[in-house]
Amino acid sequence: MTAGELQVLGRAHALFAGDVGNPAVEARAIPADGIGEQRTGAMAVAHREAASAWRADLDRARETDAEMIRILAEAHRDHGDARHRTGAVLAAARADAATVAYNPIAARELLRRRALRLRAQHAHVLAARHRAGRRRSELRALRYRLRSRRKPGRGRRAEVAVRAALSRLGRPYVWGATGPDRFDCSGLVQWAYARAGVPLHRTTYQQINDGVPIARSQVRPGDLVFPHAGHVQMAIGDNLVVEAPQPGATVQISRMGENVAIRRPG
């Protein structure tokens, strides 16, 4: 056991030190029945319509609150799990610190355990980073849904396609896959637009001719974004795209590149 190993393992564990606390968001309460005073005649009709719209807004707000609570709770659990796992590795290293190798076989066993601990700690940090990225993508998707509610009329089919693509966050990339649970890049956008009743060609090299070309300054959610001829993404707003990037990755939200070609499906 060396001080260097304890230092490396300790730094990894320190990434998750402390208690982040429980999520403090609470879902909004919705009145059980009736909103405000009762009215008659034309005023009653207008009142009921306004009350119905208000209730629908509150229902959507409650759904948003519940989704955010879920994401934050899972992030909290992820943090605690990573702290527990990295702490266990560090504790094992400290327990091994006093072990003395009296022969070559014992020395080799100590080296083997050190290597296993370092690999395990590295794997725990990478897994935590992956989970954090997924939670961040889920929060971005939630923000997009909020924005789309506030800005209606920007193309119903494109909105449906974007929502469909975002519903696949975290699904694995598999070359040649077209959904519903595995995708390559062109398979994802084809599947998403099919949910909106818009047929797209199968491959990226064909999709780059679908629709009409759009200047980058005019990009809208739902537009197809091509960073190069062999890859396609879908714009979701705020200079972000949803994509199935490459083997070993999952469907995720990424930043839109600068030098891209953009097409708007019909």
Side-chain angles (χ1 to χ4, degrees):
M1 172 63 56
T2 67
E5 181 192 357
L6 284 175
Q7 186 179 26
V8 170
L9 298 177
R11 282 203 304 266
H13 179 57
L15 294 172
F16 313 101
D19 191 345
V20 297
N22 290 312
V25 181
E26 294 184 359
R28 294 166 228 203
I30 308 297
D33 249 330
I35 299 174
E37 60 180 301
Q38 299 299 313
R39 305 182 185 185
T40 60
M43 184 66 73
V45 174
H47 175 70
R48 283 195 296 271
E49 290 176 351
S52 178
W54 184 71
R55 177 177 289 278
D57 286 342
L58 285 177
D59 285 340
R60 287 192 292 268
R62 184 173 60 179
E63 291 171 3
T64 299
D65 287 349
E67 179 67 4
M68 181 173 290
I69 289 171
R70 180 193 67 78
I71 295 170
L72 294 177
E74 290 184 357
H76 181 263
R77 285 194 295 270
D78 293 342
H79 180 88
D81 180 68
R83 182 178 57 198
H84 171 75
R85 291 176 183 273
T86 57
V89 174
L90 181 59
R94 287 171 174 164
D96 224 9
T99 302
V100 178
Y102 293 102
N103 56 64
I105 294 177
R108 185 171 61 187
E109 175 60 20
L110 284 176
L111 287 174
R112 186 186 71 84
R113 293 205 295 265
R114 285 180 57 192
L116 287 175
R117 284 194 293 264
L118 289 169
R119 284 199 294 268
Q121 202 75 320
H122 183 250
H124 294 330
V125 171
L126 288 182
R129 183 180 299 170
H130 173 76
R131 289 193 294 266
R134 183 165 184 176
R135 305 302 168 222
R136 186 165 53 249
S137 292
E138 289 174 337
L139 286 172
R140 284 174 173 171
L142 185 61
R143 183 176 67 174
Y144 170 80
R145 291 198 292 271
L146 285 171
R147 282 170 49 86
S148 66
R149 287 173 188 163
R150 294 168 186 160
K151 296 182 179 180
R154 298 202 43 180
R156 175 62 182 160
R157 290 183 297 181
E159 180 183 333
V160 170
V162 170
R163 287 177 181 271
L166 290 173
S167 74
R168 302 294 95 182
L169 287 173
R171 301 306 197 279
Y173 177 103
V174 175
W175 187 84
T178 58
D181 295 314
R182 301 183 299 171
F183 301 91
D184 64 11
C185 64
S186 54
L188 175 65
V189 299
Q190 184 192 47
W191 179 87
Y193 261 103
R195 308 281 76 72
V198 178
L200 295 181
H201 284 98
R202 170 63 191 94
T203 70
T204 305
Y205 302 100
Q206 295 169 311
Q207 290 174 359
I208 203 168
N209 294 312
D210 283 338
V212 296
I214 298 296
R216 195 185 191 288
S217 61
Q218 301 299 316
V219 65
R220 293 180 183 175
D223 289 346
L224 305 186
V225 178
F226 299 86
H228 54 78
H231 186 52
V232 62
Q233 307 160 322
M234 182 184 293
I236 62 172
D238 287 338
N239 204 37
L240 299 173
V241 296
V242 58
E243 62 173 341
Q246 71 267 335
T250 59
V251 176
Q252 63 186 45
I253 294 175
S254 307
R255 288 285 174 187
M256 186 187 302
E258 292 298 327
N259 299 313
V260 296
I262 300 173
R263 306 284 295 192
R264 183 165 297 159

